[in-house]
């Protein structure tokens, strides 16, 4: 039942490694399990190289929401940035079902193709709105820019689509001409989400989308994310240090520690019956 | 439809020097289509843990949970992959939790129509079915567009049950579904559960109250006796010690 054909994966990441530093004989030779067992963080004790992601593999089904949790510094943003092709990994392969039928490693494509993948096949909501938005352009210009980059040239269509997207994300019509720097954090995230889904990408990446927002604003942004998944049918990777966020959104969850995945499972199983000592600690801290 | 074989659950708490906490051990029983197996025993004995293992909110430690799926294939829910379990939850296995977690800012009507439209039903049809069920369960029209966060315990619990049965699952797990209901609503909800059972749904239930146990159950697994006891539908004497 439920064929596990590769074509049903929206995204496949194999053995992603990102490091800051050149590595040395000790850490380059070290296997992932050994590094995990060492339990002394992600920094090589001899050469100081930081292994921000080490041997990270993921499969995400079409339409699925995958949660990624872990404390600050565990490699979550590194992972999302690698998936959005923001950084060059030291190793690994990455396949998208929407690109060459999932047969071509997206990490190795030409700069031009990379631009196409980022513009059309992926959407990204950054933890820091300054990375995702041009703060001095209007909200609608931010969204229109994305459409323009995808080759849209019809001004009427662009205006209409831009306004519809911002309205969908509950950015008041009266404010779409204002630059996001005047917006609250929650409103900035709404503009980022509108921009991220503008070209109907099959995969949407969200890094700490609610972090730093007031609790009541958080709840509304989470509702919005859920409705975006429903209305756009998009596959999502939701990254958060906050288990509660992932619990509310994700079908499955992976737990990161020191740049590696230590546990993965159905979200309610991760929350209610965590197997790894680190996940148990995380869940306990949530219950306190 | 479901056959549980020598199922055990033990929790290993790594944060407390790896101590082991027993959940339950060596549970075996079968559930057939159109019948309800009641799981009984004192509180803390492992009834909810058993249900959670079958739904795979908990990972069983040992044993098998053989489920005969709609498509005729047999799946061991204790060992199946996450995606397979999620797919079954989406299409045919339902669960009513003892405690209801409400989504903030989703209306009662949307909570009920969402699983239907996700299965391809037209929005209008979904609304009609939801409206019929809400009325039957005594949840009046004034509540339909409200967020359940503010509802009473009984209202939330009725909604919780409706959400699980509105899709007519083939297999349903019920953990104290009638616990916080007063008697008028309880009998309405029990009627709806009986109706679903009549349509062929296999069920496993935990009930704290004897009425519900007597009316709903066809067979019983008693944790203290450690063996499945056959029973006759609705026959009070057969079901209660
Ligand atoms: N540009 C960089 N140079 C050196 N180390 C970095 C750089 N970016 C991230 N790191 C390190 O990589 C690790 C993972 O960081 P990050 O992916 O930001 O974690 P998270 O998003 O989970 O908080 C951390 O140890 C961090 O200090
Ligand atoms: Mg981060
Ligand atoms: Zn080194």
């Amino acid at each position: 039942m439920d064929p596990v054909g590769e074509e049903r994966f929206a995204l496949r990441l194999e053995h992603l490694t990102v490091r800051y530093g050149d590595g040395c004989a000790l850490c380059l030779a070290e296997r992932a399990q050994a590094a995990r067992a060492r339990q002394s963080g992600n920094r090589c004790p001899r050469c100081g190289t930081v292994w921000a992601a080490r041997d990270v593999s993921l499969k995400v089904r079409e339409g699925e929401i995958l949660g990624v949790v872990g404390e600050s510094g565990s490699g979550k943003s590194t992972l999302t940035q690698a998936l959005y092709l923001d950084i060059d990994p030291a190793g690994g392969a990455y396949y998208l079902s929407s690109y060459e039928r999932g047969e071509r490693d997206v990490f190795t494509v030409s700069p031009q193709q990379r631009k196409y993948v980022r513009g059309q096949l992926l959407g990204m909501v950054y933890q820091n709105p300054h990375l995702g938005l041009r703060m001095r352009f209007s909200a609608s210009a931010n969204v229109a820019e994305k459409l323009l980059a995808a080759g849209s040239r019809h001004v009427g269509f662009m205006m209409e689509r831009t306004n519809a997207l911002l309205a969908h994300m509950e950015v008041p019509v009266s404010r779409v001409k204002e630059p996001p720097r005047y917006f609250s954090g929650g409103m900035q995230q709404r503009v980022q989400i509108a921009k991220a889904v503008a070209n109907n990408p099959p995969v949407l990446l969200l890094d700490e989308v609610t972090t730093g927002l007031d609790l009541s604003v958080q709840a509304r942004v989470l509702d919005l994310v859920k409705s975006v998944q429903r209305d756009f049918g998009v596959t999502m990777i939701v990254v958060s240090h906050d288990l509660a966020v992932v619990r509310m959104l994700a079908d499955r969850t992976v737990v990161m520690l020191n740049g590696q995945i230590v546990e993965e499972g159905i979200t309610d199983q991760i929350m209610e019956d965590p197997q790894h000592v680190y996940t148990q600690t995380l869940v306990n801290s949530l219950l306190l | 439809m479901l056959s549980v074989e020598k199922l055990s659950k033990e929790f290993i708490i790594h944060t407390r020097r790896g101590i082991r906490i027993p959940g339950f051990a060596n549970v075996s029983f079968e559930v057939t289509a159109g019948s309800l197996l009641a799981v009984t025993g004192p509180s803390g004995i492992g009834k909810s843990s058993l249900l959670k293992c079958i739904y795979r909110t908990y990972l069983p430690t040992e044993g098998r949970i053989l489920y005969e799926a709609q498509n005729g294939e047999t799946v061991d829910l204790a060992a199946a992959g996450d995606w397979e379990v999620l797919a079954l939850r989406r299409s045919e296995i339902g669960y009513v939790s003892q405690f209801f977690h409400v989504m903030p800012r989703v209306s009662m009507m949307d909570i009920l129509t969402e699983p239907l439209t996700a299965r391809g039903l037209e929005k209008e049809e979904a609304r009609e079915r939801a409206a019929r069920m809400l009325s039957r369960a005594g949840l009046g029209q004034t509540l339909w567009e409200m967020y359940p966060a503010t509802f009473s315990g009984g209202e939330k619990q009725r909604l919780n049950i409706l959400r699980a049965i509105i899709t007519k699952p083939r297999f349903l797990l019920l953990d104290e579904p009638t616990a916080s209901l007063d008697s008028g609503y309880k009998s309405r909800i029990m009627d709806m559960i009986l109706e679903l059972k009549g349509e062929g749904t296999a069920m496993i239930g935990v009930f704290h109250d004897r009425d519900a146990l007597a009316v709903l159950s066809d067979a019983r697994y008693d944790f203290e006796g450690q063996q499945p006891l056959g029973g006759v539908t609705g026959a009070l004497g057969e079901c209660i010690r």
Side-chain angles (χ1 to χ4, degrees), chain A residues 161-230:
Chain A
R161 171 107 180 122
T162 297
N163 288 334
L165 280 163
L166 287 166
H168 191 104
M169 306 311 159
E170 295 174 30
V171 177
V173 180
S174 58
R175 305 202 59 183
V176 299
K177 295 271 174 279
E178 288 176 44
R181 68 182 150 138
Y182 297 128
F183 290 178
S184 66
M187 191 80 83
Q188 287 175 349
Q189 292 308 55
R190 289 169 189 280
V191 179
Q192 270 211 89
I193 295 170
K195 182 173 175 179
V197 301
N199 295 323
N200 270 321
V203 174
L204 183 59
L205 310 164
L206 302 114
D207 191 9
E208 304 279 5
V209 63
T210 59
T211 301
L213 304 177
D214 292 342
L215 275 179
S216 63
V217 180
Q218 279 192 22
R220 299 175 57 171
V221 171
L222 289 178
D223 284 341
L224 179 66
V225 172
K226 247 200 128 74
S227 76
V228 165
Q229 202 271 339
R230 220 174 23 233

Side-chain angles (χ1 to χ4, degrees), chain A residues 256-269:
Chain A
M256 288 194 76
L257 173 67
N258 294 336
Q260 309 188 53
I261 292 177
V262 294
E263 180 166 0
E264 61 181 291
I266 297 173
T267 300
D268 51 73
Q269 180 254 300

Side-chain angles (χ1 to χ4, degrees), chain A residues 76-77 127 207-208:
Chain A
K76 306 180 302 296
S77 294
Q127 174 169 7
D207 191 9
E208 304 279 5

Side-chain angles (χ1 to χ4, degrees), chain A residues 128-146:
Chain A
N128 179 350
H130 287 264
L131 290 177
L133 297 175
R134 289 178 194 268
M135 288 296 174
R136 291 168 182 284
F137 290 19
S138 71
S140 44
N142 268 281
V143 178
E145 187 193 12
K146 185 95 179 179

